[in-house]
Amino acid sequence: MAKESYVDVLVIGAGPTGLFATNALVKAGVNVKVIDQRPIKVAAGQADGIQPRTLESYGLVERLLNEGNQMHMAAFYNPSPNGGIELTERVPDTTAPTARYPFEVTLHQGAIENIFLDSMAASNHSVTRPCVPTSITISENEKELRDPQAHPVKVVVQNLAPQDGEPDTEVIHAKFVVGADGAHSWVRKALGIKMEGEQTDYIWGVVDLIPETNFPDMRNKCVIHSEKGSCLIIPREGDGVRLYIQLSDKGALDSGTGRIDRTKVTPHKLFEVAQTILQPFTIETPKSFDWWTLYIIGQRVASNFSINERAFIAGDACHTHSPKAGQGMNAGMNDSHNLAWKLVHVLRGWADISLLKTYEAERRAYAQDLINFDKKFAKLFSTKPQTEDDQDGVTHEEVMHAFQIYGLFTTGIGIHYTGTSIVDTKYQSLASGLVIGQRILPQIFLRATDSRPYEIQDLIISDTRFKVLVFVGDTGDAKQRDKLNKLAEEMKGVLSPRAPGGDVSKLFDIMTFGTTKKEKVIYNDVPPFFRTHWSKVFIDDVDTLGKIGGNGYEYYGIDKKEGAIVIVRPDGYVGTIAPFNGTEHLKNYFANFMSQA
Amino acid sequence: MAKESYVDVLVIGAGPTGLFATNALVKAGVNVKVIDQRPIKVAAGQADGIQPRTLESYGLVERLLNEGNQMHMAAFYNPSPNGGIELTERVPDTTAPTARYPFEVTLHQGAIENIFLDSMAASNHSVTRPCVPTSITISENEKELRDPQAHPVKVVVQNLAPQDGEPDTEVIHAKFVVGADGAHSWVRKALGIKMEGEQTDYIWGVVDLIPETNFPDMRNKCVIHSEKGSCLIIPREGDGVRLYIQLSDKGALDSGTGRIDRTKVTPHKLFEVAQTILQPFTIETPKSFDWWTLYIIGQRVASNFSINERAFIAGDACHTHSPKAGQGMNAGMNDSHNLAWKLVHVLRGWADISLLKTYEAERRAYAQDLINFDKKFAKLFSTKPQTEDDQDGVTHEEVMHAFQIYGLFTTGIGIHYTGTSIVDTKYQSLASGLVIGQRILPQIFLRATDSRPYEIQDLIISDTRFKVLVFVGDTGDAKQRDKLNKLAEEMKGVLSPRAPGGDVSKLFDIMTFGTTKKEKVIYNDVPPFFRTHWSKVFIDDVDTLGKIGGNGYEYYGIDKKEGAIVIVRPDGYVGTIAPFNGTEHLKNYFANFMSQA
């Protein structure tokens, strides 16, 4: 006797990618179920790097900063003329000048999963585990596939620890399925999606430990190129560190399959290699290792990220690469961040189902960039350093150059979506500092009513709404007020017909940003349509100490007289920009992907 | 049948003052009991202003910022030539350039009490309520009074809601008692302590409401002087505001007693006065008021703050004044902040019992300043504005002048303790920017090991330990290292003999602040005695973006070659300063109030 159930979205896999998606959907009120094959969540090890972009505006940052370690500097060690290694240079760990948080955070995957699990628990949601999918089928009925309210995906799952009286088999009928089940994704294989790319022969080992050492850079990211091999040090929360250690010995490979054979290596053996690489510095052998693993670097991207925009794959399920640049978990969470709001808009009937095509278009292009970057980066890390005897080796300058030019990429700050229905660059010149298709730049504005400074990213929260940012200029000027009153009427004409149940604020969060100074501004000079609450009116002025704020228009490249209307997508990326006399452009922009108004 | 019990400290009164003390003692592991006569904590109204100094470094700030409203600007309204009032000027609400948080927070008293109650609950402590004291006696046995481990105070209490089987009378034998039971303090009266000072005839009313209004400054602090009377507006959390309204009508007084008779006024009547004062702006009469009260301004200070340093009074129990400058709750919490660590040191046997005399010396001097300030401030608020017809009225310039010169005082930033055994100004010139007896100035340093920026106030936490801040200069310089190694030996000689159980870190938290740059610093160049952990070594350098940090030595007025040793008291106030060759001075400083080593 199988149980039958119906959900809007079934998420398969409760790692950071799956939990990010689930939590976002739960918070949007979607009927979602998440299953995972593991009986409990991971307790140690696994992914741990959180990039600056991931720290921005997902609502995670408070706990990440409280619980995680911060990496601000990177130290580069190379062969010393006296033997062993020596410090060559220390530089900032991140090179992304617009980043709100100019550092990486490290925190073990279990702690990150906890953030989502706690958030879900507050909404009475949890993971069904251990539970494995055994079959997935998607209806071929065209009409069903076009109807966002149909349940065309059928997934049969086995609940390995059913509650009393519950059958262990469940047939789940889902409107949409998200496969976030990792590099060996069952969903991907079941859907027949191929991975494209290749494997290198670089073998690396990873050990997590608490070090006793005289090495002075154990709390910085360290890139160590020694004649004995390469090692990367990543400090972690508490006193812990992670060492990535290159294995030149191919003895860890199974000669038959070419795969890693973990039984042939121990963490102590890995650690001995690290001790050799770190000389003349000493690091004591710890009593135990918190976690360890071995891997061969491979770079692969899935040929498709969805089947019929009904079953999707995300995270490691659709892209795998080397872990050393700390990208994996971030890429996966960003996949979910990109997908979740689109599912919500389609499920609510606000967007046409074709919006979901933009997921693959945006995220697969990103994944390919990631893989191309990773190939170059992994090679640099895995090549021996140049020495007098070995002129073919990699130089410090080459490593440093790569480290810095890829900074925008590795921080996630440079993510740039182009060529989809939700990115329209027509009026890019009106805000030359805000790149359409990139995330909104951090900047501090004052709230007009109380001069309290706000970081705009804290206003642009992931609440599934489009943000309508009206840069209104000087509202103390009577002529400008006339212009704004006219604009408000026109904007009402654009936004109101799309308002669910007549409530514009369900779909659009409207805020204004003026140029009047805090001593003079009268917030009720802003037309009522643009201020649904006193907290929605902002000004571009310095704070009471004159230390922060006041640079917004200039930084964004917006003219103080002309103003601009900036539309930010629910995931924080700039969707389009329009001039005050360009409300027709906005009408067309929304018509491109929203349901018929 | 009365129950008999023994506690280290009995706190009477569970308002913010009593809870602050209780929580601090609980966290220090002291056996403490707190009782309150109210069956439940306050739900609305009461005190609500939290000053910049209170926001600094008590561990409260995270929740206060999450839950509270922030006041950044103050707006001044005066009679308009067209009738009614008009905006004269807006200025920053706080004038204390060194404040870490340049604004006030407003949050109702119940929410503030919750912060302490939650913290106590995490240590399995709660308030015994409703419970009233009925008698208090202090032993007159000199030997007992001198012995910190004796229980010379006997308090009999009535538990008004005893648990099953418990007697309702309890005889509590306490080593120390803290009376934090408000303006009508039972403890104060029972101990025969007199209040000194007088009462004015200014009558004010207070209403809390959610306003519907076209008044543009409802989210700023407003000082309104109209010809119809004075009004002060304090925005509160959410959409709420508090109005302080001057009543010119003496009808609210009981002609017999001269006291307020609340039955003669209603909140609606108060509100009508406010409506008149606010003209030409309109504010709709709300359906209900969240809270309201009436008071006559009086300024009084208790003649003593303790009896034999065994029973203390704190907060409103020892000083009362007008509420409009938002001082009361802050003064009370600062009383507790001053007292709690001293009790802990005496109870642990680390300090001589005479240390407790510094509580009255420091806090009564402050209370007298507070009362003197309040007399002037209350008068300015309660006097009519100057107009053509009334040349005797107060001018805007007078109000503004007072507002700004008292800024250091009202923010709490200027609190300055002098003339006690725990403040020694001998070497003040070594750190001209750090005033001995004032709180340590906020400043950002980088952690040497990972270049992570830290606000020094977040390192100087209220954990009952003295902070030993060694400004070590350039540890990259070999000569400086020699000097530091010698200093470390001498400091070991000063601190180790006082170490409880041989563990220096129980009583002293040692940190170093160097001048070597982040690209070069080797943290293990600092002598081991000064770095009990890698996280204890800091440098005065800019962060990776070059935006913050790097100004510490200059701001503190410390010479980069000479260095200095700064001793910070457990409550965050600078206790003394010494040169590298002045460890003898430190030995004497600690000998002044600590137990025999």
Side-chain angles (χ1 to χ4, degrees):
Chain A
M1 266 305 291
K3 181 179 159 190
E4 302 252 341
S5 63
Y6 289 79
V7 295
D8 287 347
V9 183
L10 172 67
V11 176
I12 298 174
T17 301
L19 289 176
F20 190 115
T22 307
N23 183 53
L25 296 167
V26 164
K27 294 301 159 187
V30 169
N31 170 12
V32 55
K33 183 184 179 84
V34 56
I35 64 171
D36 195 277
Q37 63 179 8
R38 295 167 298 186
I40 51 168
K41 75 177 180 63
V42 298
Q46 311 284 353
D48 67 350
I50 301 126
Q51 299 299 335
R53 172 58 190 149
T54 309
L55 293 172
E56 289 180 353
S57 83
Y58 298 169
L60 307 173
V61 72
E62 199 172 322
R63 281 191 55 178
L64 290 175
L65 294 187
N66 274 340
E67 300 173 28
N69 177 67
Q70 298 179 12
M71 282 196 298
H72 290 262
M73 291 288 273
F76 293 81
Y77 280 76
N78 285 288
S80 161
N82 310 319
I85 56 167
E86 66 178 10
L87 175 63
T88 308
E89 194 174 5
R90 281 187 199 137
V91 299
D93 178 48
T94 58
T95 43
T98 72
R100 180 173 178 192
Y101 304 100
F103 50 84
E104 292 177 75
V105 165
T106 48
L107 183 62
H108 77 89
Q109 183 174 324
I112 290 161
E113 292 176 5
N114 267 343
I115 300 178
F116 298 115
L117 292 169
D118 290 347
S119 172
M120 286 160 54
S123 301
N124 291 315
H125 270 76
S126 61
V127 179
T128 301
R129 64 172 27 146
C131 178
V132 294
T134 56
S135 80
I136 179 168
T137 49
I138 306 179
S139 162
E140 294 181 356
N141 179 323
E142 284 294 332
K143 195 174 153 238
E144 231 184 317
L145 287 175
R146 274 197 311 273
D147 175 9
Q149 301 312 324
H151 291 79
V153 196
K154 191 171 87 174
V155 181
V156 181
V157 305
Q158 290 292 322
N159 197 332
L160 303 183
Q163 291 190 320
D164 287 349
E166 290 268 313
D168 57 1
T169 301
E170 183 173 352
V171 180
I172 303 172
H173 301 271
K175 293 177 184 169
F176 300 98
V177 167
V178 178
D181 49 349
H184 303 290
S185 173
W186 175 92
V187 175
R188 183 185 71 223
K189 289 171 194 161
L191 294 174
I193 298 174
K194 293 269 171 297
M195 290 300 271
E196 298 171 348
E198 60 227 37
Q199 185 165 301
T200 67
D201 57 359
Y202 307 132
I203 309 173
W204 285 74
V206 183
V207 287
D208 286 355
L209 69 149
I210 296 186
E212 280 293 328
T213 179
N214 64 357
F215 184 69
D217 276 289
M218 202 50 91
R219 303 306 306 174
N220 289 323
K221 181 194 279 180
C222 291
V223 178
I224 299 171
H225 271 94
S226 88
E227 296 186 46
K228 306 287 167 58
S230 297
C231 175
L232 187 74
I233 299 179
I234 304 290
R236 299 166 62 94
E237 67 270 23
D239 290 335
V241 301
R242 168 170 292 185
L243 306 180
Y244 288 92
I245 303 147
Q246 187 185 13
L247 286 187
S248 48
D249 183 358
K250 304 283 184 234
L253 291 185
D254 180 304
S255 53
T257 63
R259 290 192 171 189
I260 293 280
D261 182 351
R262 267 177 62 123
T263 64
K264 297 189 175 176
V265 183
T266 65
H268 284 88
K269 232 166 142 180
L270 279 173
F271 185 71
E272 281 167 23
V273 178
Q275 283 176 314
T276 308
I277 293 172
L278 277 167
Q279 282 168 4
F281 301 100
T282 58
I283 176 168
E284 287 174 31
T285 305
K287 287 203 184 106
S288 65
F289 295 95
D290 298 341
W291 185 74
W292 75 283
T293 193
L294 280 181
Y295 62 90
I296 304 188
I297 295 176
Q299 287 104 357
R300 295 192 178 92
V301 183
S303 56
N304 304 86
F305 279 24
S306 94
I307 299 294
N308 288 332
E309 285 78 64
R310 286 300 192 164
F312 301 86
I313 50 176
D316 289 352
C318 48
H319 37 71
T320 64
H321 44 86
S322 75
K324 282 187 300 298
Q327 297 299 302
M329 185 163 56
N330 298 273
M333 294 202 290
N334 274 311
D335 286 344
S336 292
H337 188 50
N338 186 285
L339 179 58
W341 71 268
K342 296 172 183 174
L343 287 172
V344 171
H345 279 236
V346 168
L347 283 164
R348 287 181 182 161
W350 297 347
D352 189 86
I353 196 164
S354 66
L355 173 65
L356 295 172
K357 287 185 190 296
T358 65
Y359 167 65
E360 179 176 303
E362 295 186 333
R363 294 305 297 173
R364 191 163 183 274
Y366 166 78
Q368 282 172 319
D369 290 346
L370 175 58
I371 263 57
N372 290 334
F373 149 77
D374 192 60
K375 279 182 188 168
K376 293 174 194 155
F377 216 54
K379 192 174 168 188
L380 276 174
F381 272 123
S382 301
T383 306
K384 283 212 167 188
Q386 194 184 58
T387 57
E388 287 206 7
D389 301 336
D390 182 3
Q391 289 294 319
D392 294 337
V394 63
T395 66
H396 172 60
E397 288 65 33
E398 285 175 275
V399 173
M400 184 61 72
H401 181 68
F403 186 79
Q404 294 189 323
I405 63 166
Y406 293 129
L408 266 184
F409 190 83
T410 54
T411 56
I413 294 302
I415 292 178
H416 190 169
Y417 298 133
T418 55
T420 64
S421 59
I422 46 179
V423 173
D424 188 326
T425 59
K426 181 172 178 191
Y427 288 107
Q428 174 66 72
S429 63
L430 289 179
S432 53
L434 281 178
V435 180
I436 297 172
Q438 294 194 4
R439 98 313 186 196
I440 187 115
L441 293 181
Q443 191 65 200
I444 288 172
F445 294 91
L446 304 189
R447 194 157 64 181
T449 38
D450 60 5
S451 296
R452 176 172 170 174
Y454 275 87
E455 165 55 53
I456 196 169
Q457 288 197 335
D458 290 337
L459 305 171
I460 309 296
I461 55 172
S462 301
D463 62 359
T464 81
R465 294 190 293 177
F466 277 82
K467 308 300 181 298
V468 179
L469 314 181
V470 190
F471 288 82
V472 293
D474 181 6
T475 53
D477 178 71
K479 276 191 191 158
Q480 188 72 5
R481 284 203 298 274
D482 290 345
K483 248 167 107 175
L484 291 171
N485 283 322
K486 181 165 168 285
L487 177 64
E489 272 311 299
E490 288 186 26
M491 285 298 286
K492 199 171 173 180
V494 172
L495 304 181
S496 294
R498 304 205 165 274
D503 182 355
V504 168
S505 72
K506 278 198 175 155
L507 180 49
F508 301 103
D509 191 6
I510 306 171
M511 288 169 246
T512 64
F513 298 83
T515 60
T516 322
K517 297 299 167 201
K518 61 184 172 299
E519 291 82 4
K520 299 290 176 195
V521 66
I522 304 296
Y523 87 99
N524 18 12
D525 279 344
V526 169
F529 182 72
F530 289 153
R531 51 172 171 94
T532 52
H533 189 256
W534 58 262
S535 62
K536 297 291 180 184
V537 182
F538 296 85
I539 54 174
D540 187 22
D541 195 7
V542 291
D543 75 334
T544 55
L545 292 185
K547 285 190 182 165
I548 50 174
N551 197 34
Y553 274 70
E554 198 180 322
Y555 195 65
Y556 288 175
I558 296 174
D559 185 274
K560 290 192 179 182
K561 286 214 174 303
E562 294 295 317
I565 306 162
V566 176
I567 307 297
V568 182
R569 299 161 26 161
D571 56 4
Y573 288 78
V574 179
T576 196
I577 297 175
F580 283 6
N581 63 7
T583 49
E584 193 66 22
H585 170 70
L586 295 181
K587 202 169 164 184
N588 296 336
Y589 170 77
F590 290 121
N592 257 339
F593 57 88
M594 286 192 173
S595 307
Q596 293 296 325
Chain B
M1 266 302 290
K3 182 179 160 191
E4 302 251 341
S5 62
Y6 289 81
V7 296
D8 287 348
V9 183
L10 172 67
V11 178
I12 299 173
T17 301
L19 289 176
F20 189 114
T22 307
N23 182 53
L25 295 168
V26 164
K27 294 300 159 187
V30 169
N31 171 12
V32 56
K33 183 184 179 86
V34 56
I35 64 171
D36 194 278
Q37 63 179 10
R38 295 166 298 185
I40 50 169
K41 73 175 182 61
V42 298
Q46 310 285 355
D48 67 349
I50 301 126
Q51 299 299 335
R53 173 58 191 148
T54 309
L55 293 171
E56 289 180 352
S57 82
Y58 297 168
L60 306 172
V61 71
E62 199 173 321
R63 281 192 52 180
L64 291 175
L65 294 186
N66 275 340
E67 299 173 28
N69 176 66
Q70 298 179 12
M71 282 195 299
H72 289 262
M73 291 288 273
F76 293 81
Y77 280 76
N78 284 289
S80 161
N82 310 320
I85 56 168
E86 66 178 9
L87 176 63
T88 308
E89 194 174 3
R90 280 186 200 138
V91 299
D93 178 49
T94 58
T95 42
T98 71
R100 181 174 177 190
Y101 304 100
F103 50 84
E104 290 177 76
V105 165
T106 49
L107 182 62
H108 76 91
Q109 183 174 324
I112 291 161
E113 291 176 5
N114 267 342
I115 299 178
F116 298 114
L117 292 170
D118 290 348
S119 172
M120 286 159 54
S123 301
N124 291 314
H125 270 77
S126 61
V127 179
T128 302
R129 63 174 24 147
C131 177
V132 293
T134 56
S135 81
I136 180 168
T137 47
I138 306 179
S139 161
E140 294 181 355
N141 178 323
E142 283 295 330
K143 196 173 152 240
E144 231 184 316
L145 287 174
R146 274 199 310 273
D147 174 9
Q149 301 311 323
H151 291 80
V153 197
K154 190 172 87 174
V155 181
V156 181
V157 305
Q158 290 292 322
N159 198 332
L160 304 182
Q163 291 189 320
D164 287 348
E166 291 267 315
D168 57 0
T169 301
E170 183 173 353
V171 180
I172 303 173
H173 301 272
K175 294 176 182 168
F176 301 98
V177 167
V178 179
D181 50 348
H184 304 290
S185 174
W186 176 90
V187 176
R188 184 187 70 222
K189 290 171 193 160
L191 295 173
I193 298 174
K194 292 271 172 295
M195 290 299 271
E196 298 172 345
E198 59 227 37
Q199 185 164 301
T200 68
D201 56 359
Y202 307 132
I203 309 173
W204 285 73
V206 183
V207 287
D208 287 353
L209 71 150
I210 294 184
E212 281 292 331
T213 180
N214 63 358
F215 183 69
D217 276 288
M218 202 49 92
R219 304 305 307 173
N220 289 324
K221 181 194 279 182
C222 291
V223 179
I224 300 171
H225 270 95
S226 88
E227 296 186 47
K228 307 285 166 61
S230 297
C231 176
L232 187 74
I233 299 179
I234 304 289
R236 299 166 62 93
E237 67 270 24
D239 290 335
V241 300
R242 168 170 292 184
L243 306 180
Y244 288 93
I245 304 146
Q246 187 185 13
L247 286 186
S248 48
D249 184 356
K250 303 285 184 234
L253 293 184
D254 180 305
S255 52
T257 63
R259 290 192 172 191
I260 293 281
D261 181 349
R262 266 177 62 122
T263 63
K264 297 191 175 174
V265 184
T266 66
H268 285 89
K269 232 165 142 179
L270 279 174
F271 186 71
E272 280 167 21
V273 178
Q275 284 176 314
T276 308
I277 293 172
L278 277 167
Q279 282 166 7
F281 302 100
T282 57
I283 176 168
E284 288 173 32
T285 306
K287 288 203 183 107
S288 65
F289 295 95
D290 298 341
W291 185 73
W292 76 282
T293 193
L294 279 181
Y295 62 89
I296 305 188
I297 296 177
Q299 287 106 357
R300 295 191 179 93
V301 184
S303 55
N304 304 84
F305 279 24
S306 93
I307 300 293
N308 287 333
E309 286 78 63
R310 285 298 192 166
F312 301 86
I313 50 176
D316 288 352
C318 47
H319 37 72
T320 65
H321 44 86
S322 75
K324 283 188 299 298
Q327 297 301 302
M329 184 163 57
N330 298 272
M333 295 202 289
N334 274 311
D335 286 344
S336 293
H337 189 50
N338 187 285
L339 180 58
W341 72 269
K342 295 172 182 174
L343 287 172
V344 172
H345 279 234
V346 169
L347 283 164
R348 287 182 182 160
W350 298 347
D352 190 85
I353 197 164
S354 65
L355 173 65
L356 295 171
K357 287 186 190 294
T358 66
Y359 168 65
E360 179 177 303
E362 295 186 333
R363 295 304 298 172
R364 190 163 183 273
Y366 165 79
Q368 282 172 317
D369 290 346
L370 175 58
I371 263 55
N372 291 334
F373 149 78
D374 192 60
K375 280 183 188 165
K376 294 174 194 155
F377 215 54
K379 191 175 169 188
L380 276 175
F381 272 123
S382 301
T383 306
K384 283 212 169 189
Q386 193 184 62
T387 57
E388 287 205 8
D389 300 337
D390 182 1
Q391 289 294 319
D392 294 336
V394 64
T395 65
H396 172 60
E397 287 67 32
E398 286 175 274
V399 173
M400 183 62 72
H401 181 69
F403 187 79
Q404 295 188 324
I405 62 165
Y406 292 127
L408 266 185
F409 191 83
T410 53
T411 56
I413 294 302
I415 292 178
H416 189 167
Y417 298 133
T418 55
T420 63
S421 59
I422 45 179
V423 173
D424 188 327
T425 59
K426 181 172 178 189
Y427 288 108
Q428 174 66 72
S429 63
L430 289 178
S432 53
L434 281 179
V435 180
I436 297 172
Q438 294 195 3
R439 99 309 188 198
I440 187 116
L441 294 180
Q443 191 64 199
I444 289 172
F445 294 91
L446 305 189
R447 194 158 62 182
T449 38
D450 59 5
S451 295
R452 176 172 170 174
Y454 274 86
E455 166 54 52
I456 196 169
Q457 287 197 336
D458 291 335
L459 305 172
I460 309 296
I461 55 172
S462 302
D463 61 0
T464 79
R465 295 190 291 176
F466 277 82
K467 308 301 181 295
V468 178
L469 315 181
V470 190
F471 288 80
V472 291
D474 181 7
T475 53
D477 178 70
K479 277 191 193 158
Q480 188 72 5
R481 284 202 297 276
D482 289 345
K483 248 167 106 175
L484 290 170
N485 284 320
K486 182 167 168 285
L487 178 64
E489 272 309 300
E490 288 186 24
M491 285 297 287
K492 200 171 172 181
V494 172
L495 304 181
S496 293
R498 304 206 164 273
D503 182 355
V504 169
S505 71
K506 278 197 175 155
L507 180 48
F508 301 104
D509 190 6
I510 306 171
M511 289 170 246
T512 65
F513 298 83
T515 60
T516 322
K517 297 300 167 198
K518 61 184 173 299
E519 291 82 3
K520 299 290 177 196
V521 66
I522 304 296
Y523 87 98
N524 17 12
D525 279 344
V526 169
F529 181 73
F530 289 154
R531 52 174 169 91
T532 52
H533 190 255
W534 57 262
S535 62
K536 296 291 180 183
V537 182
F538 297 86
I539 53 173
D540 186 22
D541 194 8
V542 291
D543 75 334
T544 56
L545 292 184
K547 285 190 182 166
I548 50 174
N551 197 36
Y553 274 69
E554 198 180 320
Y555 195 64
Y556 288 175
I558 296 175
D559 186 273
K560 292 192 179 181
K561 285 210 177 304
E562 293 296 316
I565 307 162
V566 176
I567 307 297
V568 182
R569 299 162 24 162
D571 56 3
Y573 289 77
V574 179
T576 197
I577 297 176
F580 283 7
N581 62 8
T583 49
E584 193 64 22
H585 169 70
L586 296 181
K587 202 170 164 185
N588 296 337
Y589 171 76
F590 291 121
N592 257 338
F593 57 88
M594 287 191 173
S595 307
Q596 292 296 324

